[in-house]
Amino acid sequence: MTDPLPLRDALRTTGAVRAFTDEPVPDALLHDVLDDARFAPSGGNRQPWRVAVVRDTAVRTELAGLMRTVWEEYVGANATGVTAFAFGRSIDAPPIAAPNPLLDGIDRVPVVLAVAADLHRIAMMDGNLERPPLTGGASVYPFCWSIVLAARSRGLGGVITTFLSRAEPAAAPLLGLPPDHALVATIFLGFPVHQPTKLSRHPVNAFATVDRFDGDSFDG
């Protein structure tokens, strides 16, 4: 195991990794990653997450097929110049076949995790608003990100994807998704072919304002 990264370095250098070497990830190492990630915060400390470590090659292949359909819809919608599947936008665009090495080689990805959330253990504070609810994610996505950070600290790389969530009805029986659970993410992990460390992000004053969202820029 490599020396743990300082927290600030981990936060500023953890980019999405979609290409992995053939080196397997030992079960003990994956267990350590999940053992650290379980300390993520959640509403009421209810820890509503469930994780399926997907090893069966046939299941992986079926999941990849479901995700590839969504991926091609996504590529086709993005080709119109707008964000695919964005709230309030129904894009009538034909799907576009495009390579996706991560999905095409899913049988060779060292670790595939399906993450679900128990909806009975999440307070959906915006569930009654006239838009898709988002706040429930606060009880599960910190856990997902903690998995990626814990993996990064051990020399691994990874990426969180949500393509499979769009195909949840078809994916549910393949994964034995319990009733009243939502499929919130698929996480791919492994030893990276290349670990990106120089990330492009907007500066603080591009997104932070004082008192109101239309207030003065917060420059520190």
Side-chain angles (χ1 to χ4, degrees):
M1 174 178 160
T2 58
D3 292 333
L5 280 174
L7 177 59
R8 187 168 188 265
D9 289 347
L11 290 172
R12 297 172 74 100
T13 65
T14 301
V17 171
R18 297 179 176 85
F20 308 103
T21 70
D22 293 331
E23 183 177 354
V25 175
D27 284 350
L29 180 55
L30 177 58
H31 185 278
D32 285 348
V33 167
L34 296 173
D35 195 39
D36 281 350
R38 69 190 174 94
F39 288 95
S42 59
N45 194 30
R46 295 185 185 92
Q47 303 163 58
W49 46 77
R50 295 283 301 273
V51 177
V53 181
V54 185
R55 290 175 169 159
D56 189 298
T57 304
V59 173
R60 284 189 178 198
T61 300
E62 289 197 63
L63 296 178
L66 294 174
M67 286 187 278
R68 188 176 293 107
T69 297
V70 178
W71 163 250
E72 292 176 357
E73 290 179 327
Y74 178 82
V75 174
N78 273 344
T80 67
V82 300
T83 300
F85 311 142
F87 170 64
R89 294 174 179 167
S90 178
I91 306 302
D92 185 15
I96 296 177
N100 188 312
L102 188 61
L103 299 181
D104 296 340
I106 197 171
D107 57 318
R108 298 187 299 277
V109 175
V111 176
V112 177
L113 305 176
V115 183
D118 184 345
L119 297 177
H120 287 305
R121 298 167 70 189
I122 293 176
M124 202 75 67
M125 294 299 183
D126 56 352
N128 63 339
L129 300 183
E130 304 229 348
R131 61 162 174 77
L134 288 173
T135 58
S139 284
V140 66
Y141 287 117
F143 170 71
C144 294
W145 184 233
S146 291
I147 289 175
V148 176
L149 284 177
R152 171 82 171 96
S153 75
R154 289 167 169 81
L156 301 172
V159 63
I160 301 170
T161 71
T162 54
F163 285 109
L164 195 58
S165 296
R166 189 166 174 85
E168 181 182 290
L174 294 171
L175 295 168
L177 186 69
D180 300 316
H181 281 59
L183 188 59
V184 297
T186 310
I187 301 177
F188 300 88
L189 299 174
F191 289 97
V193 171
H194 170 68
Q195 178 68 65
T197 57
K198 294 182 179 179
L199 309 181
S200 174
R201 300 292 187 269
H202 298 306
V204 171
N205 62 9
F207 59 81
T209 52
V210 179
D211 289 330
R212 297 165 49 92
F213 293 113
D214 58 358
D216 294 336
S217 175
F218 177 72
D219 293 310

